[in-house]
């Protein structure tokens, strides 16, 4: 809503000043770090006085990528090489069913692939919240049903782990909320 009202620079400035006052700034990916640093330059160029450029010069030296620490060993016991797909790719959606995960764009691409006769299988996992439920899921369940192998939350960790191991493609389409250009 704030983006539509052209108030996004307010949040950018908060991120910028927070980074300036920090001893160290960590990002969970190089993409996020680079887009922040690029975004800062764009923000400062839009400011009426360009006196803030010198303040921003210290930012790259105190920005680092700290990848998420994940213990994936519990998934290892469910790996079965014979269960890997070979003839048609299995695409897995394993996110919350909410708009910030950008299901519209993801499913739009899949509908395009389906309409153009591309072969793929689809597993849609995750939870939905009645409050935040994107209506695109209702449409997709019908329009892509010929591709669907699984729909909705699974009942066990074992079942979830098996789908992860079987998947060939597990895209992330989330809209990030760090208030920089999302397409940079």
């Amino acid at each position: 809503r704030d983006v539509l009202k052209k108030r996004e620079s307010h949040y950018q400035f908060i991120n910028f000043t927070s980074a300036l006052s920090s001893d160290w700034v960590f990002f969970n990916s190089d993409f996020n770090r680079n887009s922040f640093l690029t975004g800062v330059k764009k923000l400062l160029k839009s400011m009426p006085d360009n006196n803030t450029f010198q303040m921003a010069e210290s930012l790259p030296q105190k920005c680092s990528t700290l990848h998420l620490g994940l213990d994936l060993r519990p998934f290892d016991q469910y790996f079965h090489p014979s269960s890997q797909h070979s003839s048609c790719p299995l695409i897995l959606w394993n996110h919350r069913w909410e708009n910030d995960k950008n299901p519209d764009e993801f499913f739009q691409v899949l509908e395009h692939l389906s309409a153009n006769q591309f072969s793929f299988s689809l597993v849609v996992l995750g939870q939905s919240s009645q409050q935040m439920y994107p209506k695109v899921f209702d449409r997709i369940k019908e329009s892509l049903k010929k591709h669907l192998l699984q729909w909705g939350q699974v009942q066990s960790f074992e079942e979830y782990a098996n789908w992860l191991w079987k998947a060939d493609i597990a895209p992330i389409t989330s809209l990030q909320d760090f208030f920089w250009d999302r397409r940079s």
Side-chain angles (χ1 to χ4, degrees):
R1 189 168 54 191
D2 286 340
V3 174
L4 297 175
K5 293 182 177 180
K6 308 278 190 224
R7 293 189 293 202
E8 191 171 46
S9 62
H10 171 74
Y11 299 107
Q12 293 172 341
F13 195 75
I14 290 172
N15 286 350
F16 169 59
T17 56
S18 296
L20 280 178
S21 65
S22 300
D23 294 327
W24 208 256
V25 184
F26 293 101
F27 296 87
N28 65 359
S29 71
D30 290 335
F31 174 84
N32 288 352
R33 180 179 42 81
N34 292 337
S35 109
F36 169 76
L37 293 170
T38 301
V40 164
K41 290 177 187 173
K42 289 180 184 177
L43 173 70
L44 297 179
K45 284 181 183 177
S46 73
M47 299 299 228
D49 67 20
N50 292 325
N51 296 335
T52 51
F53 275 112
Q54 289 179 333
M55 291 190 302
E57 289 176 0
S58 66
L59 285 178
Q61 292 78 30
K62 62 180 183 177
C63 289
S64 295
T65 301
L66 182 62
H67 298 284
L68 299 176
L70 300 173
D71 181 4
L72 300 176
R73 289 175 291 183
F75 291 90
D76 291 347
Q77 65 181 318
Y78 301 107
F79 177 70
H80 305 288
S82 61
S83 68
Q84 298 298 303
H85 284 268
S86 58
S87 61
C88 111
L90 174 62
I91 301 172
L92 171 72
W93 169 278
N94 63 329
H95 309 287
R96 281 181 287 107
W97 294 13
E98 294 184 12
N99 286 313
D100 69 325
K101 300 302 179 191
N102 199 11
D104 291 293
E105 191 170 349
F106 172 71
F107 290 129
Q108 183 180 11
V109 169
L110 293 184
E111 285 179 316
H112 178 77
L113 292 174
S114 182
N116 286 286
Q117 307 302 313
F118 284 90
S119 179
F120 65 91
S121 297
L122 177 62
V123 171
V124 180
L125 303 179
Q127 297 178 339
S128 66
S129 151
Q130 295 295 13
Q131 269 185 312
M132 305 297 283
Y133 182 76
K135 300 296 183 212
V136 68
F137 285 95
D138 295 333
R139 187 184 85 241
I140 291 307
K141 189 173 183 180
E142 185 59 33
S143 71
L144 294 177
K145 68 180 173 186
K146 72 179 183 181
H147 300 281
L148 281 173
L149 300 178
Q150 167 66 37
W151 183 265
Q153 190 172 1
V154 293
Q155 300 303 310
S156 68
F157 177 79
E158 179 179 0
E159 192 176 357
Y160 180 72
N162 282 323
W163 282 122
L164 288 178
W165 280 116
K166 289 177 185 177
D168 298 298
I169 303 169
I172 298 171
T173 57
S174 302
L175 297 172
Q176 301 296 321
D177 56 354
F178 45 77
F179 307 111
W180 304 107
D181 180 8
R182 289 170 174 78
R183 303 289 178 202
S184 60

